Amino acid sequence: MSIHIVALGSECPGGVRPGEEAMGQGQLQGGLLWSYLGHGAVVGGPEESSLSNSAFMEYTSRVFGDVTVVVQDCPSWDLLDSDWAGVRSVLEQADILVIKYSVNDKLAFQQVRNGYAPRLRPLLHHWGMPVILVAVGSRLNDEGPPCTCPLCASDWSSCVPHSEGLQLSRDLGATYLELPSLNHVFVSRYFGSVLEYFMIQCLKQKANDRPEKRRGNKLNEPRPPHLEQPARLPPIRVEESSFSQDLQWLLERGVQFADVAFYAGDSGKELGWGHAAVLCAVSPYFRQLLLGPKARERPISRCACRGDGRGDGGPPSLLSTWDGGLGKEDGSRPDGHLAGRLSRLVVKDPLLCLCLWETLMFLYRGAWEWEHLQEAMGEKLNNSLAVAQLMDRIRSFLGRDKGPRDTPNARAAQLGPQSLVNLFNSPLYSDVIFMVQGNVLPAHRAVLVARCDVMAAMFSGKYAEARSRVVPIHGVSSDTFLSFLEYLYTDTCCPASVLQAMAVLVCAEMYQVKRLQHLCEVCVCAYLQSMPSRELASTSISVIRLLRRAKCHNAEQLYVWLLHFIANNYLIFSHKPDFLELSEEEREQVERLRWPSRGYLQELSEYQQRRRKLKKSRCLVM
């Protein structure tokens, strides 16, 4: 009897570099398996190897007296890219797989973990062969002698820590070993004992696979058919978030819905427009400045800060507001805007006057980092001291203390989708109310038109919604529409069930919000995939009807995914009554993709028949 061992990877730091010999005699005799087999190992010629590629070196030895061990050793992982079919054929014939790496070669380990291990994992799990993952070498410590302690953190930047090797072994279903060196003690006591255990198990398995030969029975036992793995479900692709770009569009082109005007304090020149809802959601300074008594007998000029501006923890008096209510009779009011309160802010700081547009863009986009803002201001002011002063004042806008000098991302504006969370379902600066199934849902036109094209057309055109404060919504439940609004404000969507996700998907398709539709498709797929087979067979959710709704509402990715999902669970769905609702074209596609396939079921039936005949013939002989 013989045992076939395949070894992949190099136990030497650096491995095999391009242009070097794939496996030299000296490197071979200093390797892990050669050290274990000892002087009895004999190198075979290249013609004896199962691979034509010379990257594999084959050598043989004997263990347990009369058991031949055939080793095929390849230190270069590049062979998996150049001859994957050949490597797979060798691995399929292997009894034991040994994967080696050096703890002092972290780059090679990362390539194995991220590039080659995902390709080997499904094959190893399918074949069920024993795998040994061996980490060779001591972790280096610059402050003293080599340290083999797996918890030593001083060398994690250049060496492979114990935790990463252990995690890779769990992913591959392998036995994990650490050998500080390749001396006789470590190789024979640790690696040798584990390898011999697996060799004994392989010998027992091979002996059990041919019981008829020992009894002299000439009848060949039929082999069961091979069941292929089900086809991989197609991925659902989700568009990248456009939240920052939407708010940037609102600042640049959403003048019609602006309710804040900025003026220079010295010249009275108009500097730009803004939206109170967004500014108050982003900055506590603007909340303090803009939110005040709504009714006054006469306009009063108000500054957000008193005295030097530091008594209450706020910034200096950079802006002042005049509470004169400017209605639709005001000529400076954008045309078509719903009549209401317009706040006029006077910018008293000359530096802020020069960089007001960059400041507003930073507040609206939220995705900019401080470094980008500082760079934009530096190009405009061309004065480092002035830039530093203005940066401190913008920090005060956001209610942030001056910490360390802008460490990387430490003081990044954490605005983005989280900046409008406080506005969601809040009456603060609300200028539109949705009536859904008798429920009142306040909202803000500026946010709606920036995030949804259908809402922008509805509130900008000559429609009744553009002039009315109360907008009724029909055909959608209040919970579904509230989830839709939550996405517009927060850029996230977390439906509680499959049916809720489908309802939000229909609403997203109604308002042409494509990314929300994709997120709902991902939620539906995640919920269905998490169901075990028993729950999938007994659930009241009709996957066939979900397929119909996905096709009706242009959810093409979900439609294709559900067809593959039905095909992968064919034995469950084919017995359900609604399976007959599939169209002829859909049924043909499901039959083509079904798992298990008709061919496998036919082979399985023939195998069972041969087993019954064989069993019957043995009974007659007895």
Side-chain angles (χ1 to χ4, degrees):
M1 300 183 69
S2 63
I3 296 177
H4 184 191
I5 300 176
V6 174
L8 295 176
S10 175
E11 56 271 73
C12 302
V16 179
R17 296 176 176 83
E20 294 182 353
E21 185 181 358
M23 175 73 79
Q25 185 76 9
Q27 182 184 359
L28 176 65
Q29 295 182 359
L32 174 65
L33 286 163
W34 187 282
S35 300
Y36 165 73
L37 295 174
H39 299 288
V42 179
V43 178
E47 67 278 2
E48 299 179 9
S49 178
S50 301
L51 275 178
S52 59
N53 195 316
S54 60
F56 269 85
M57 176 63 74
E58 182 175 315
Y59 50 97
T60 61
S61 182
R62 286 189 175 274
V63 296
F64 308 137
D66 58 347
V67 178
T68 301
V69 177
V70 180
V71 179
Q72 285 183 307
D73 202 333
C74 177
S76 176
W77 285 97
D78 296 337
L79 189 61
L80 272 72
D81 296 323
S82 59
D83 192 4
W84 168 245
V87 174
R88 177 169 177 170
S89 64
V90 172
L91 290 176
E92 191 172 2
Q93 301 299 324
D95 297 316
I96 300 174
L97 175 63
V98 178
I99 299 177
K100 308 165 292 180
Y101 69 89
S102 171
V103 297
N104 296 312
D105 194 348
K106 192 167 187 178
L107 179 60
F109 174 82
Q110 291 173 345
Q111 292 176 346
V112 173
R113 180 188 60 189
N114 301 330
Y116 300 114
R119 300 172 64 181
L120 293 174
R121 186 185 304 115
L123 298 179
L124 299 179
H125 291 176
H126 177 67
W127 291 330
M129 73 172 65
V131 182
I132 305 175
L133 181 66
V134 185
V136 181
S138 58
R139 295 178 174 83
L140 302 180
N141 190 339
D142 297 335
E143 298 179 357
C147 175
T148 60
C149 173
L151 299 179
C152 179
S154 62
D155 55 303
W156 281 12
S157 60
S158 60
C159 299
V160 182
H162 170 81
S163 58
E164 293 187 10
L166 185 61
Q167 182 60 44
L168 178 60
S169 67
R170 291 172 179 171
D171 294 341
L172 296 176
T175 301
Y176 180 62
L177 292 176
E178 283 191 349
L179 304 180
S181 65
L182 294 180
N183 62 32
H184 177 72
V185 176
F186 291 111
V187 173
S188 61
R189 179 176 300 178
Y190 297 107
F191 174 72
S193 60
V194 174
L195 183 62
E196 290 175 4
Y197 169 79
F198 285 124
M199 287 194 294
I200 293 173
Q201 297 301 318
C202 290
L203 293 174
K204 289 181 179 179
Q205 182 67 32
K206 290 186 176 183
N208 293 332
D209 288 343
R210 48 178 188 175
E212 303 298 337
K213 283 191 175 182
R214 293 201 308 269
R215 294 197 296 264
N217 196 336
K218 301 300 182 182
L219 296 175
N220 293 324
E221 184 74 17
R223 300 187 64 180
H226 174 66
L227 178 61
E228 297 289 343
Q229 294 296 315
R232 181 176 297 180
L233 295 172
I236 304 294
R237 304 189 183 278
V238 181
E239 298 176 357
E240 293 185 2
S241 173
S242 61
F243 190 91
S244 298
Q245 292 82 352
D246 293 340
L247 289 187
Q248 179 178 345
W249 176 91
L250 177 64
L251 178 62
E252 293 175 344
R253 304 182 184 179
V255 179
Q256 180 180 352
F257 301 94
D259 49 8
V260 175
F262 293 91
Y263 295 89
D266 51 353
S267 62
K269 179 183 177 181
E270 180 181 325
L271 300 177
W273 294 79
H275 306 81
V278 177
L279 295 174
C280 291
V282 171
S283 169
Y285 177 74
F286 280 102
R287 284 198 297 271
Q288 183 183 6
L289 190 65
L290 294 174
L291 297 181
K294 296 184 179 180
R296 294 181 182 270
E297 296 181 358
R298 59 185 180 85
I300 299 177
S301 178
R302 183 176 76 255
C303 291
C305 308
R306 305 285 186 249
D308 61 352
R310 299 292 183 180
D312 55 356
S317 181
L318 306 176
L319 303 170
S320 63
T321 181
W322 184 47
D323 285 338
L326 300 179
K328 62 183 180 180
E329 69 278 4
D330 192 297
S332 60
R333 190 77 172 182
D335 294 337
H337 194 286
L338 190 66
R341 177 180 174 181
L342 179 66
S343 299
R344 181 183 300 172
L345 297 183
V346 179
V347 183
K348 299 191 292 185
D349 184 86
L351 295 178
L352 188 58
C353 285
L354 293 175
C355 298
L356 180 64
W357 175 256
E358 288 77 10
T359 303
L360 292 177
M361 185 66 69
F362 172 76
L363 296 177
Y364 271 68
R365 282 184 55 91
W368 282 15
E369 297 178 355
W370 289 99
E371 290 79 2
H372 297 155
L373 176 63
Q374 188 172 6
E375 181 180 354
M377 290 183 175
E379 295 178 355
K380 195 158 191 178
L381 297 179
N382 200 18
N383 186 329
S384 59
L385 181 59
V387 171
Q389 293 176 355
L390 189 53
M391 291 290 291
D392 290 340
R393 293 165 187 174
I394 294 177
R395 287 190 188 91
S396 65
F397 278 170
L398 299 176
R400 299 175 183 271
D401 296 331
K402 181 179 178 181
R405 176 58 64 185
D406 295 336
T407 56
N409 298 329
R411 293 290 174 181
Q414 299 176 355
L415 308 177
Q418 298 302 318
S419 61
L420 303 183
V421 171
N422 295 330
L423 290 182
F424 169 61
N425 201 22
S426 170
L428 178 66
Y429 270 101
S430 172
D431 54 1
V432 63
I433 294 175
F434 292 106
M435 296 297 299
V436 189
Q437 292 183 334
N439 295 319
V440 177
L441 304 180
H444 308 78
R445 295 174 191 262
V447 178
L448 300 178
V449 300
R451 298 282 289 140
C452 176
D453 293 338
V454 174
M455 292 281 189
M458 184 172 65
F459 290 121
S460 302
K462 297 180 180 179
Y463 299 101
E465 293 84 356
R467 298 290 177 179
S468 175
R469 181 175 177 81
V470 179
V471 177
I473 300 295
H474 305 287
V476 180
S477 67
S478 59
D479 292 339
T480 300
F481 195 76
L482 192 63
S483 298
F484 172 73
L485 292 179
E486 182 181 8
Y487 169 79
L488 297 183
Y489 281 82
T490 65
D491 207 42
T492 58
C493 177
C494 300
S497 64
V498 174
L499 298 181
Q500 178 67 12
M502 286 300 299
V504 178
L505 184 147
V506 173
C507 184
E509 193 264 342
M510 181 189 308
Y511 288 96
Q512 297 297 305
V513 183
K514 205 66 177 178
R515 184 172 183 271
L516 175 58
Q517 190 173 357
H518 294 167
L519 290 176
C520 294
E521 291 176 341
V522 171
C523 290
V524 172
C525 298
Y527 283 128
L528 292 179
Q529 268 191 306
S530 64
M531 289 185 179
S533 299
R534 181 176 300 178
E535 183 180 353
L536 198 61
S538 60
T539 182
S540 59
I541 300 175
S542 174
V543 178
I544 307 298
R545 292 176 185 173
L546 292 180
L547 182 75
R548 297 266 72 80
R549 294 189 69 185
K551 184 176 183 180
C552 179
H553 294 283
N554 300 317
E556 297 179 0
Q557 294 189 99
L558 180 60
Y559 175 77
V560 174
W561 189 92
L562 288 175
L563 280 177
H564 283 75
F565 184 72
I566 294 171
N568 283 7
N569 298 274
Y570 184 87
L571 297 180
I572 295 177
F573 294 111
S574 60
H575 294 87
K576 293 193 173 186
D578 55 3
F579 187 77
L580 301 176
E581 298 179 11
L582 290 174
S583 65
E584 183 178 352
E585 182 181 354
E586 292 169 346
R587 194 172 303 177
E588 290 179 357
Q589 187 171 357
V590 169
E591 290 289 344
R592 180 173 56 85
L593 299 171
R594 61 173 290 181
W595 184 86
S597 63
R598 288 185 178 275
Y600 171 80
L601 295 179
Q602 183 177 357
E603 292 178 2
L604 182 62
S605 177
E606 296 174 355
Y607 165 75
Q608 293 172 346
Q609 291 178 6
R610 290 197 300 268
R611 286 291 302 270
R612 286 193 293 267
K613 290 180 180 179
L614 182 60
K615 185 177 181 181
K616 185 176 181 180
S617 64
R618 289 176 180 174
C619 293
L620 292 177
V621 172
M622 294 297 293

